Amino acid sequence: EDDGGEDDGGIRSHLSVSILAHVTELPLTTLRRALLALSVGRMPVLCRRGAIPLRCSASIAAEDVFWVNPSYQPPASVVVIARVVDRPQLATQAGGNGGEGRSVRDRATAIDAAVVRVMKAREKLAVDELVQEVTSSIGVFTPTHTDVKARLEHLIDSQYIERDEGNAALLVYVP
């Protein structure tokens, strides 16, 4: 690693996040997401020097410095850079702080518990009715229709519930 910061052509080769933000005029969140995508993986395009090693933290500070990885060799003629997705923001219901501090896993567990609770009481129920009951029974947050359906599929795979043999739109509780 060369600490000089300039290559032979007088072009600055080591750039901090703050300089990149100024030059590119990108919003800081977009720039950080792009830099993270380019600096992680098996063969990163960019190298990074920061206060916190990249393996320990996915956060990028303004004083972190990036440069082109001199040992980067693209494995093919087309290079695919993985997209970095922001962590999902936890929605809260109006007037409350119900979703703060809960992880996605906690929400999945809450949906699973609500499904099992409703199915245990009703034993046989149509999918759409079950989704409505689960959505209304969870008071801490409001799960989306897609989230509940995904958890239903998980519970079917885990054999807590099963589809009715005669009607695929009905679900049956497995005791």
Side-chain angles (χ1 to χ4, degrees), residues 57-68:
S57 173
S59 62
I60 294 176
E63 46 286 339
D64 288 356
V65 176
F66 290 86
W67 64 95
V68 175

Side-chain angles (χ1 to χ4, degrees), residues 8 26 29 41-43 47 50 54 58 64 70 82 89 94-95 108 112 115 121 124 130-132 151-152 158 166 173:
D8 294 335
L26 287 172
T29 55
R42 280 185 250 145
M43 190 57 139
C47 294
L54 190 56
D64 288 356
Q89 296 297 316
D112 290 351
V115 168
K124 192 181 250 192
L130 179 58
V131 169
Q132 287 176 351
R151 299 314 301 167
L152 287 176
S158 301
Y173 176 70

Side-chain angles (χ1 to χ4, degrees), residues 64-120:
D64 288 356
V65 176
F66 290 86
W67 64 95
V68 175
N69 183 355
S71 62
Y72 177 73
Q73 292 293 320
S77 60
V78 176
V79 178
V80 177
I81 304 293
R83 236 179 120 205
V84 176
V85 180
D86 288 335
R87 292 186 181 129
Q89 296 297 316
L90 301 176
T92 59
Q93 290 182 332
N97 62 355
E100 291 179 343
R102 291 194 179 272
S103 69
V104 173
R105 192 176 330 146
D106 291 338
R107 288 177 176 233
T109 303
I111 294 170
D112 290 351
V115 168
V116 171
R117 201 170 34 250
V118 170
M119 288 303 295
K120 202 172 195 180

Side-chain angles (χ1 to χ4, degrees), residues 110-134 137 148 151-153 155-156 159-164 167-175:
I111 294 170
D112 290 351
V115 168
V116 171
R117 201 170 34 250
V118 170
M119 288 303 295
K120 202 172 195 180
R122 302 281 295 271
E123 291 186 18
K124 192 181 250 192
L125 198 58
V127 174
D128 291 332
E129 290 178 49
L130 179 58
V131 169
Q132 287 176 351
E133 283 201 36
V134 167
S137 71
V148 176
R151 299 314 301 167
L152 287 176
E153 290 302 321
L155 290 171
I156 290 170
Q159 299 179 346
Y160 283 97
I161 57 177
E162 60 186 23
R163 294 196 183 277
D164 186 57
N167 184 357
L170 285 178
L171 294 175
V172 179
Y173 176 70
V174 178

Side-chain angles (χ1 to χ4, degrees), residues 29-49:
T29 55
T30 304
L31 179 63
R32 284 183 173 156
R33 191 178 314 127
L35 289 171
L36 189 60
L38 291 167
S39 62
V40 296
R42 280 185 250 145
M43 190 57 139
V45 177
L46 296 178
C47 294
R48 170 185 172 232
R49 182 179 58 228

